[in-house]
Amino acid sequence: MRTTTSTAPNTTAIVTGAGTGIGEAVCERLAAEGVHVVLIGRRAVVLEAAAARVGGTAVVGDASDPGVAARAVFACVEAGGGVDIVV
């Protein structure tokens, strides 16, 4: 498995299960590296709080739902790029 973290301008990441635990920790690490993080999770209050802490974008819903996945990709595009990292 290859792992890469980039601090290049306009780098974006989608992180699923991002509201708590390992997902939240991944978001914190990526954000610290300068990556714009799009957080996906099912619990709105928890997810939005995590997104606020890391300066990311919350997409509430189940990542297995194609509509939620599409909203996350759109959020990456709006942030200034495409999808560079998926966790």
Side-chain angles (χ1 to χ4, degrees):
M1 178 170 74
R2 189 182 106 195
T3 56
T4 304
T5 303
S6 173
T7 56
N10 299 322
T11 299
T12 59
I14 295 174
V15 179
T16 62
T20 61
I22 294 171
E24 183 181 18
V26 169
C27 292
E28 290 170 355
R29 177 62 187 260
L30 289 171
E33 295 290 330
V35 175
H36 179 81
V37 182
V38 176
L39 298 81
I40 300 177
R42 292 179 290 180
R43 295 182 291 164
V45 173
V46 172
L47 189 71
E48 290 165 359
R53 281 191 299 277
V54 300
T57 305
V59 176
V60 178
D62 188 323
S64 68
D65 178 331
V68 172
R71 289 196 329 261
V73 170
F74 184 72
C76 286
V77 172
E78 281 190 321
V83 179
D84 300 300
I85 302 166
V86 177
V87 179

